[in-house]
Amino acid sequence: MTTFPQHKQRHLKVRQTYHSYQLQQLYKDRTLVGEIHLKGHWLTKAGFEIDSTVTVQVEQGRLVVTKA
């Protein structure tokens, strides 16, 4: 059994990107969207196995990610 990561808080950045279907459009017609990448060994140590499903609860100023 793996142990829970010692650092329980992560600092990530919301980055800008486009939806993949918009890449075929002219640049001026694209709409920016935000994205957050979660990756690292700490995910599996926290119980999020590769290819597992998660649920994201969306609140104002807060995202809660749990195993589905």
Side-chain angles (χ1 to χ4, degrees), residues 10 14 17 29 32 34 39 42 46-47 49 58 60 63-65:
R10 301 288 173 185
V14 178
T17 189
D29 294 332
L32 284 174
K39 63 181 176 180
W42 61 272
E49 299 298 327
V58 180
Q60 184 63 39
L63 300 175
V64 180
V65 181

Side-chain angles (χ1 to χ4, degrees), residues 1-66:
M1 181 172 160
T2 54
T3 59
F4 190 77
Q6 291 178 341
H7 299 91
K8 293 183 181 180
Q9 190 175 64
R10 301 288 173 185
H11 297 277
L12 306 169
K13 187 171 187 174
V14 178
R15 300 187 184 274
Q16 67 180 25
T17 189
Y18 302 99
H19 286 289
S20 58
Y21 70 87
Q22 289 185 319
L23 297 177
Q24 302 297 324
Q25 296 175 345
L26 296 174
Y27 185 77
K28 67 177 183 66
D29 294 332
R30 297 178 190 175
T31 305
L32 284 174
V33 294
E35 69 176 2
I36 300 173
H37 286 267
L38 298 174
K39 63 181 176 180
H41 296 292
W42 61 272
L43 285 168
T44 51
K45 289 180 181 176
F48 295 94
E49 299 298 327
I50 294 172
D51 288 329
S52 63
T53 304
V54 298
T55 300
V56 180
Q57 182 179 342
V58 180
E59 302 171 10
Q60 184 63 39
R62 178 181 170 122
L63 300 175
V64 180
V65 181
T66 54

